[in-house]
Amino acid sequence: MSKDGEQLPLHRITMGAHQETRMHRWHLSGLDHRQFEYLVEMDDSDLAARGIVRCVATQDHGFPCRISLVHARVGEELLLLPYTHLACTSPYRASGPVFIRCQAVRCVLPPGVVPPYVHRRQMSVRAYDAGAFMLSGQVCEGAEVAATLDQLFDDPHVHQVHLHNAGRGCFSCRAERCTTDVQPDATPPSVEINP
């Protein structure tokens, strides 16, 4: 279960007539909340000058936070902002809009766990090598994300995978190869807020 009370499913791979738990080579993580803390205190005119909008969730689904990897609840304050999720010198440098809950703390999920808001959407799954060059891009249903990530991370050249909502193209979260020393507070090296 997440800190916000949403049940996080552990996925199982079905093999023939029985189910088998697979050792996943990846984990999903939200954005580091610390890089946004100064924005929460800004007034709306300063935010607007940076292309950022303060808003309030009007429903329990539809405002997925890219920090906590859960939906904001009705009445929660969020920021909608432009975010560079692949800040690199590669031609694949990329940015897009993201929602962040103002009081959220970064979530790093256990290997193989996909957040519920991803399950409800069709996703674009984009694999990159260590030089931030795209190796694969495909669209799948949210329920297929875990199996798709398993397949992508079978390739030793895959360094990271970005998930995007297929419909609107918004960055959702990042999958990284598991290591024995996953650092929940580490800021991914290829992220920045657009000026």
Side-chain angles (χ1 to χ4, degrees):
M1 186 166 291
S2 77
K3 294 175 194 171
D4 297 314
E6 282 197 59
Q7 184 66 34
L8 298 175
L10 179 62
H11 296 283
R12 297 188 181 277
I13 306 296
T14 302
M15 308 213 40
H18 68 281
Q19 287 189 340
E20 167 182 309
T21 301
R22 177 177 174 151
M23 295 296 295
H24 300 282
R25 294 188 174 115
W26 53 270
H27 68 93
L28 294 174
S29 61
L31 303 176
D32 188 337
H33 63 280
R34 296 172 295 186
Q35 63 188 314
F36 304 108
E37 288 174 342
Y38 74 100
L39 295 172
V40 174
E41 302 304 320
M42 288 185 174
D43 66 35
D44 290 350
S45 62
D46 287 338
L47 290 174
R50 291 173 169 78
I52 302 171
V53 175
R54 187 180 315 271
C55 58
V56 175
T58 56
Q59 55 187 4
D60 284 338
H61 297 288
F63 298 88
C65 175
R66 299 330 196 265
I67 294 172
S68 62
L69 303 181
V70 297
H71 282 285
R73 298 290 181 216
V74 171
E76 275 192 271
E77 186 175 286
L78 303 106
L79 298 179
L80 176 59
L81 56 96
Y83 184 74
T84 302
H85 53 85
L86 192 61
C88 58
T89 55
S90 158
Y92 293 99
R93 178 181 176 90
S95 66
V98 296
F99 283 112
I100 61 165
R101 292 171 43 236
C102 291
Q103 304 304 318
V105 176
R106 182 179 188 212
C107 176
V108 176
L109 294 171
V113 175
V114 175
Y117 80 83
V118 169
H119 272 261
R120 295 182 185 101
R121 292 174 168 81
Q122 192 174 52
M123 302 301 292
S124 170
V125 183
R126 304 169 189 178
Y128 299 92
D129 67 13
F133 277 79
M134 191 180 292
L135 300 174
S136 173
Q138 54 190 293
V139 174
C140 67
E141 296 302 321
E144 299 168 3
V145 165
T148 301
L149 290 172
D150 284 335
Q151 180 184 28
L152 289 170
F153 279 103
D154 281 344
D155 180 346
H157 297 102
V158 172
H159 177 71
Q160 63 181 315
V161 177
H162 288 201
L163 277 62
H164 295 255
N165 298 341
R168 295 191 180 203
C170 302
F171 174 77
S172 178
C173 55
R174 171 181 162 141
E176 299 172 287
R177 194 171 290 280
C178 289
T179 63
T180 56
D181 59 343
V182 173
Q183 300 293 321
D185 292 333
T187 303
S190 63
V191 295
E192 69 181 40
I193 300 169
N194 291 349

